[in-house]
Amino acid sequence: MEDEVYADTDSDTEGANSDGSAEQPGILQVYLIQNTFGDDNYLTICYWFFIANIAAVAVINNEGVDSEHSEDAHEDNASSSEISDFDLNLPTSHSYLGSNLEELKGRTILDEGIYMNLPLLPMRSVVLFPGQTLPLAVFGSGVINMLDNCIQKNRTFGVVCLSDDKLEMVGTTAEIFEYTQGGEDGGFCIKAKGRQRFKILEIIQGYSQKSANVRIMPEITLSHPIFEQRLTSLDHRRVMLLNQKDQATFDRIRKLDAAVTAWPDWVYKHYDPQILAFKIRQNLQFIVSRGSSVPTDPTDLSFWVAQNLPLDDKERILLLEYDCVISRLQWQLEYLTKDRILVCSTCDKKIAKQSDIFPMSKEGPQSTFCNSSGFIHDTITVYKAENLKLDPNPPSAEYSWFPGYAWTIANCDGCESHMGWRFTAHKNKSLRPLSFWGLTRKGLKSRKLKKSERKLSTRSDSS
Ligand SMILES: [Zn+2]
């Protein structure tokens, strides 16, 4: 097995400290709004979400992120006229990989349902979704040769999650769009985009690299359940449900359509991708208000949400296995409408509330980053965290995933596990937010809020 080459994404804490870089920040940011209301109170929920988000954004923009740090608070009172918001486009460029990457043009689209052989890149605790950007710095000759071959051919390889040393049998193709060879240390940097899901039928172990016979999984699109019975005389009045102003017209026509069927209209609501996507986007309004792009197409949205939720590997694999957008959106809506908190995956200590999550990237609150040693980190950005202990070393701006911010390693106060980093504005103190936390997805799990915690949370929010 010594010939096997894996893209090691594990953040080995000791190794990290020895070279000072493996625990570098990355941001898997998730912005979720929690609500505890039922479907009937949806408009009320939207209103309160809107108010809550405006308030949250105001806090971030005007007061900085972490008021417990007196130094920051002092700086924050400085010249307000010079305050500038962080440019959310910066993290999406992954500029820490260097500026000399060569761009590859064109796009490879594989026919759905075809069988093919695909070079495989198993990655610990990384589940790639279509549309997601994957930055990589690789050093092993096996992986470099494989990627080099890909660039000469269709630029496509398969990413599969290695979970508890077990290879998952479902993965996503990744298409390389930028690369550079032979840096100072002979490494190889690439940026790739997740494209299509595949199912592994047979793994083939080569001399130094795995490949697999796979089937490209189809994305099943069902026609609307009432499409055949719909009142065609209303076709000219139909609208896409993309924003609030279209909702009244959309609902009226939907009810008229359902009236001629045997089922009440609320049954169809649970299977209409447009309605499910609209509800999810309403839950994520605060992300849009902070400048991130949330897709409107239901399929793109379902993958975007899967990428940005703080899910564990098993939940991510489950979402990747769904062939139909309706199943994915139903699962995600159920998840989003529960009060949740983020806790340490080792000792269960509370780390952050789901409502503390906010985006620091155009791509959303959770992104995949790579550090100088090649470790991959899915990182979620939150503006408040607790029960974390900061490394005594001064903040470092080296290889920072957020240009303008320096990072400090943060560990769990209860069990010392590595939980992520605290980012603080470096040099330019007029940058907003002044500081925030980047939590690594591997260190966290999300669980529903217990009744007792909900009361405490409400009390502390109102105080
Ligand atoms: Zn812990």
Side-chain angles (χ1 to χ4, degrees):
M1 293 296 282
E2 64 186 49
D3 287 328
E4 272 187 344
V5 179
Y6 291 133
D8 198 344
T9 60
D10 204 5
S11 73
D12 181 333
T13 306
E14 287 182 20
N17 289 337
S18 64
D19 67 15
S21 59
E23 285 191 345
Q24 208 159 350
I27 291 264
L28 232 185
Q29 315 151 345
V30 175
Y31 216 128
L32 314 172
I33 282 193
Q34 36 183 318
N35 79 55
T36 56
F37 305 95
D39 198 45
D40 293 338
N41 292 319
Y42 185 61
L43 286 176
T44 315
I45 296 164
C46 295
Y47 172 75
W48 284 110
F49 279 176
F50 178 70
I51 297 298
N53 290 328
I54 292 287
V57 169
V59 167
I60 294 161
N61 286 342
N62 299 327
E63 294 176 23
V65 163
D66 199 356
S67 58
E68 71 210 11
H69 289 263
S70 56
E71 189 191 332
D72 293 349
H74 172 75
E75 294 288 353
D76 199 30
N77 290 332
S79 53
S80 58
S81 59
E82 292 170 13
I83 285 173
S84 60
D85 273 338
F86 178 69
D87 180 356
L88 299 188
N89 287 304
L90 289 175
T92 64
S93 66
H94 299 273
S95 54
Y96 53 86
L97 290 177
S99 54
N100 56 341
L101 273 70
E102 195 166 323
E103 196 179 336
L104 294 168
K105 293 207 171 6
R107 163 98 195 258
T108 305
I109 299 172
L110 304 167
D111 289 338
E112 290 186 348
I114 62 161
Y115 296 88
M116 64 183 295
N117 183 265
L118 205 58
L120 275 195
L121 187 62
M123 302 182 82
R124 281 203 178 89
S125 201
V126 171
V127 181
L128 185 71
F129 285 98
Q132 184 176 348
T133 303
L134 178 70
L136 281 179
V138 293
F139 301 97
S141 59
V143 186
I144 290 178
N145 287 341
M146 184 274 276
L147 294 173
D148 217 10
N149 276 335
C150 285
I151 289 167
Q152 309 308 323
K153 295 175 183 169
N154 64 359
R155 307 185 299 278
T156 302
F157 60 96
V159 174
V160 277
C161 177
L162 192 62
S163 189
D164 299 329
D165 285 332
K166 182 178 151 276
L167 208 56
E168 297 291 342
M169 297 305 274
V170 60
T172 302
T173 64
E175 187 178 17
I176 302 167
F177 64 90
E178 276 183 42
Y179 76 102
T180 184
Q181 261 172 313
E184 284 173 14
D185 39 19
F188 189 83
C189 292
I190 65 156
K191 295 179 200 171
K193 269 270 192 242
R195 293 298 190 203
Q196 289 166 280
R197 299 171 305 120
F198 64 81
K199 179 118 193 123
I200 295 178
L201 306 173
E202 183 189 12
I203 294 172
I204 298 161
Q205 179 64 60
Y207 174 68
S208 63
Q209 194 60 35
K210 281 184 166 72
S211 72
N213 293 330
V214 305
R215 177 171 181 259
I216 302 297
M217 289 163 80
E219 181 64 29
I220 296 170
T221 309
L222 301 174
S223 65
H224 193 278
I226 328 182
F227 183 76
E228 295 298 333
Q229 287 82 34
R230 78 190 192 285
L231 300 164
T232 50
S233 57
L234 295 176
D235 281 358
H236 69 288
R237 296 189 57 197
R238 293 180 194 279
V239 291
M240 296 288 284
L241 185 54
L242 296 178
N243 46 51
Q244 199 95 45
K245 75 177 172 52
D246 298 323
Q247 197 177 7
T249 313
F250 185 90
D251 281 348
R252 204 175 316 123
I253 293 175
R254 179 175 55 80
K255 283 178 182 167
L256 287 170
D257 276 340
V260 298
T261 72
W263 301 96
D265 76 290
W266 58 263
V267 173
Y268 299 108
K269 279 167 68 176
H270 297 289
Y271 299 93
D272 186 330
Q274 269 201 73
I275 294 178
L276 294 168
F278 178 71
K279 286 183 179 178
I280 287 178
R281 280 202 310 277
Q282 290 293 315
N283 275 271
L284 301 170
Q285 268 304 312
F286 58 94
I287 296 185
V288 180
S289 65
R290 241 193 85 76
S292 268
S293 316
V294 179
T296 51
D297 174 78
T299 304
D300 293 345
L301 178 73
S302 70
F303 289 129
W304 184 93
V305 174
Q307 176 197 333
N308 280 283
L309 290 176
L311 308 174
D312 62 30
D313 291 352
K314 283 191 171 55
E315 291 167 321
R316 292 189 141 217
I317 293 290
L318 175 77
L319 285 174
L320 201 59
E321 282 174 337
Y322 283 137
D323 280 332
C324 180
V325 61
I326 296 170
S327 312
R328 274 194 297 273
L329 291 175
Q330 284 174 335
W331 191 98
Q332 292 164 350
L333 191 59
E334 165 78 13
Y335 183 98
L336 282 166
T337 49
K338 295 278 187 301
D339 265 348
R340 287 176 179 275
I341 54 169
L342 302 177
V343 298
C344 169
S345 59
T346 309
C347 72
D348 215 36
K349 262 206 169 185
K350 182 185 172 187
I351 304 297
K353 287 186 292 181
Q354 197 155 268
S355 55
D356 291 332
I357 296 167
F358 78 109
M360 273 296 283
S361 163
K362 192 85 180 168
E363 289 181 349
Q366 179 161 268
S367 298
T368 307
F369 292 94
C370 170
N371 73 7
S372 57
S373 302
F375 294 107
I376 294 286
H377 291 286
D378 286 339
T379 309
I380 302 167
T381 39
V382 296
Y383 63 85
K384 252 181 0 192
E386 56 191 284
N387 296 319
L388 292 179
K389 201 163 55 180
L390 288 175
D391 188 272
N393 289 318
S396 168
E398 191 190 349
Y399 218 76
S400 178
W401 300 325
F402 299 93
Y405 288 90
W407 50 272
T408 310
I409 293 171
N411 294 325
C412 173
D413 208 5
C415 67
E416 303 285 332
S417 297
H418 173 230
M419 300 302 294
W421 308 263
R422 182 167 185 262
F423 289 87
T424 42
H426 170 63
K427 291 181 184 168
N428 180 5
K429 296 290 183 184
S430 63
L431 200 58
R432 291 296 179 274
L434 263 177
S435 64
F436 61 94
W437 299 85
L439 304 175
T440 180
R441 183 175 65 85
K442 278 178 280 189
L444 295 169
K445 63 182 178 191
S446 158
R447 67 163 167 78
K448 287 179 200 166
L449 211 56
K450 292 171 191 162
K451 261 188 183 169
S452 54
E453 290 172 325
R454 193 170 299 149
K455 277 179 198 157
L456 279 174
S457 166
T458 314
R459 216 173 294 155
S460 66
D461 283 349
S462 58
S463 64

